[in-house]
Amino acid sequence: MDIFQSIVILIVLVSCSFFLSLSEIAIAGSRKIKLKLIAESGDERATKVMHMQENSADFFASTQIGVNAVAILGGIVGESSLRPYFNELVLGFYQGKWADSIGFSLSFLTVTTLFILFADLMPKRLAMIFPEKLAIMVIEPIGVFIKVCKPLAWIINIIANSIFKVFKVNTKRDDSLTFDDISAIVNAGAQAGVLQKQEHHFIENVFELEERNVPSSMTPRENVVFFTLNEPEESIRQKLAEYPFSKFLVCNENIDQVIGYIDAKDILVRILNHQKINQLNESTIRNVLTIPDALTLSELLDRFRASKEKFAVVINEYALVVGVITLSDIMITVMGDWVTPMEEEQQIIQRDTNSWLIEGSTPIEDMMHALEIDSMPEHDNYETLAGFMMFQLRKIPRPADNVIFAGYKFEVVDVDNFRIDQLLVTRLVDQPIEDEPIEE
């Protein structure tokens, strides 16, 4: 065999190995979501790629048979055909006893380099860059190759499956997506500039609906405005004027004796009809949705959808009212800073670059977003910033008590009847960080 024939055979073998390596990585690395989009656009080859991913045993066995067979054959042909020429080249400079060994080493390195570069490194890098596009291009020819290798692949798969069973290895591919997977995709999109910062924030908030409990977004008990059955007309008018809410609870004597709720527009209709507005009865009082405080915001959305309601009373395990929540409150949680209810004051006010005034009732997730804090210690034990302070201090805080955490100093500014009303949060600059509570 002359040098020309040897080179042609090497080129053919390297090309075969190039194709097999590229096919293996492209099909294995193709993302199912993108393949589904391509299949929906009418390309049936994407469906074949997904089917091969789900039944990958014959595919991997066949490609490995091909890659190893070609590599072995390439080594035999390449070394035997190139070695005489390298021996001649070496003898032109060196005639010692190591001349034959040097010629063999040079031929071996040449063939090995060719296969590493053109049959392994380059095809795999290309397949990682364009996995779906290349997988669709090679799916038809690789299917023919698998049929050719099927008998030998069948034997190899039996042996491999037996070994997997001995070690109890699950060989079924799991393509299910978790919230963490989707969150990672969203974060990657934001870093790549595909998603704008505000869009990224919206999507993160939607995912948080599954984790955030109702109390994190509700109007707390002390801020709930309600009517009693015997509420004087003047008091009703005053509350309507002072609090521009669309719905008000109706209770018997106190807030824990809830009867229902009344829509502000129903009272307005009575005023326009010159009727007394202090005669609350079944025609104006509506049944109210009552929910436990352990529900997540996602579960509450399901309750709203099933009951066709947009307003609910939140009660605790002792059947005491802890607050009220509306569909608008959930939307505000998702939209964040873009939507602020007119009747509510802003809970987080940035004073300057390194300091904020934050209400104690602020949900801990909102505070984390504002301060760009990734995680909080033992987050399940509290839902608000006030709860975080009490958990860290292990007592009812007083003004000037503070906690240092994640490079921020959280200092209690105002306490109203044992309730933390407001805190001053300061970013520590060029100071050592110690996550310890400090009492003064």
Side-chain angles (χ1 to χ4, degrees):
M1 186 183 297
D2 59 24
I3 186 64
F4 177 75
Q5 291 176 323
S6 300
I7 291 175
V8 170
I9 292 174
L10 274 177
I11 292 174
V12 171
L13 292 175
V14 170
S15 299
C16 291
S17 188
F18 181 98
F19 169 75
L20 293 173
S21 296
L22 182 142
S23 301
E24 183 179 20
I25 298 301
I27 293 175
S30 295
R31 288 157 287 192
K32 195 170 185 179
I33 294 175
K34 287 197 172 183
L35 289 173
K36 283 184 176 179
L37 293 174
I38 296 172
E40 289 173 359
S41 68
D43 196 333
E44 294 183 356
R45 293 177 298 175
T47 305
K48 293 181 180 180
V49 174
M50 289 188 288
H51 178 72
M52 188 168 288
Q53 287 179 337
E54 294 172 357
N55 304 276
S56 59
D58 288 342
F59 165 65
F60 282 119
S62 300
T63 54
Q64 287 305 305
I65 290 171
V67 167
N68 286 281
V70 168
I72 293 171
L73 186 59
I76 295 172
V77 173
E79 190 276 330
S80 61
S81 59
L82 296 179
R83 183 175 178 181
Y85 298 97
F86 279 107
N87 284 343
E88 284 186 23
L89 181 65
V90 172
L91 289 173
F93 300 93
Y94 173 70
Q95 290 81 28
K97 63 178 181 178
W98 297 100
D100 188 63
S101 298
I102 294 173
F104 167 77
S105 299
L106 289 174
S107 63
F108 174 79
L109 286 174
T110 301
V111 174
T112 302
T113 302
L114 283 173
F115 272 87
I116 291 176
L117 184 61
F118 296 105
D120 197 46
L121 181 62
M122 290 179 63
K124 288 182 177 179
R125 288 185 64 179
L126 284 173
M128 290 296 292
I129 297 172
F130 311 106
E132 294 82 21
K133 183 178 180 179
L134 293 174
I136 290 172
M137 292 173 61
V138 303
I139 189 62
E140 299 289 354
I142 200 67
V144 175
F145 179 76
I146 290 173
K147 289 179 180 178
V148 173
C149 298
K150 196 172 183 66
L152 183 56
W154 179 74
I155 297 173
I156 292 175
N157 280 327
I158 290 178
I159 299 172
N161 291 335
S162 300
I163 296 174
F164 282 135
K165 286 182 179 179
V166 170
F167 291 98
K168 298 180 180 180
V169 177
N170 184 12
T171 58
K172 187 175 181 181
R173 174 171 169 154
D174 184 11
D175 287 320
S176 60
L177 287 175
T178 65
F179 282 112
D180 290 337
D181 295 331
I182 299 174
S183 180
I185 293 172
V186 171
N187 289 334
Q191 292 175 2
V194 178
L195 293 175
Q196 295 182 4
K197 183 178 180 181
Q198 196 64 43
E199 293 171 336
H200 184 210
H201 183 59
F202 291 164
I203 296 173
E204 280 188 330
N205 287 345
V206 170
F207 289 146
E208 285 184 1
L209 296 182
E210 192 69 32
E211 300 177 356
R212 292 181 64 161
N213 290 334
V214 167
S216 68
S217 298
M218 72 180 184
T219 301
R221 174 190 179 100
E222 58 269 18
N223 295 335
V224 174
V225 181
F226 64 93
F227 300 145
T228 62
L229 284 177
N230 300 319
E231 188 94 13
E233 182 172 338
E234 184 60 31
S235 176
I236 294 177
R237 288 179 179 272
Q238 183 177 354
K239 288 180 179 179
L240 286 172
E242 186 176 353
Y243 305 101
F245 300 144
S246 61
K247 295 175 177 62
F248 295 85
L249 278 184
V250 179
C251 307
N252 189 11
E253 294 181 357
N254 57 63
I255 193 172
D256 295 314
Q257 298 176 347
V258 177
I259 298 174
Y261 77 93
I262 188 168
D263 201 304
K265 68 180 181 181
D266 293 335
I267 301 179
L268 178 61
V269 169
R270 297 180 69 90
I271 293 175
L272 294 176
N273 292 333
H274 305 288
Q275 298 175 337
K276 291 185 177 181
I277 62 174
N278 63 336
Q279 294 179 350
L280 303 177
N281 50 45
E282 294 181 357
S283 64
T284 54
I285 299 177
R286 307 185 185 188
N287 292 329
V288 64
L289 177 64
T290 305
I291 61 169
D293 60 356
L295 287 185
T296 64
L297 293 179
S298 178
E299 291 172 329
L300 177 57
L301 275 177
D302 292 335
R303 295 287 183 91
F304 279 152
R305 183 166 52 248
S307 64
K308 309 298 182 185
E309 290 286 348
K310 299 179 182 179
F311 179 78
V313 175
V314 186
I315 63 172
N316 62 15
E317 58 184 310
Y318 304 106
L320 300 177
V321 174
V322 294
V324 296
I325 189 167
T326 66
L327 182 60
S328 176
D329 293 327
I330 301 178
M331 294 303 101
I332 290 168
T333 300
V334 173
M335 300 299 286
D337 296 337
W338 272 36
V339 179
T340 303
M342 294 179 60
E343 67 272 14
E344 293 185 8
E345 296 181 358
Q346 194 171 352
Q347 289 185 309
I348 302 176
I349 301 174
Q350 186 166 2
R351 300 169 67 231
D352 53 45
T353 306
N354 295 314
S355 66
W356 296 259
L357 281 174
I358 305 180
E359 291 186 6
S361 60
T362 302
I364 203 70
E365 290 85 0
D366 294 346
M367 183 274 293
M368 291 170 65
H369 280 306
L371 303 184
E372 298 182 349
I373 297 176
D374 294 330
S375 61
M376 300 294 290
E378 301 184 59
H379 189 182
D380 294 339
N381 292 292
Y382 46 87
E383 296 170 345
T384 65
L385 181 54
F388 163 72
M389 295 295 293
M390 295 177 70
F391 180 80
Q392 291 293 99
L393 293 169
R394 320 303 288 183
K395 70 182 186 69
I396 303 298
R398 297 173 299 177
D401 285 348
N402 63 79
V403 170
I404 296 176
F405 174 75
Y408 293 91
K409 179 181 179 181
F410 299 83
E411 182 177 358
V412 178
V413 175
D414 185 28
V415 177
D416 183 15
N417 194 25
F418 302 111
R419 180 174 66 89
I420 301 177
D421 190 41
Q422 200 169 61
L423 297 98
L424 174 63
V425 181
T426 308
R427 179 187 284 120
L428 302 178
V429 182
D430 298 329
Q431 293 184 20
I433 301 173
E434 298 179 2
D435 296 352
E436 298 180 355
I438 299 177
E439 301 177 17
E440 298 185 2

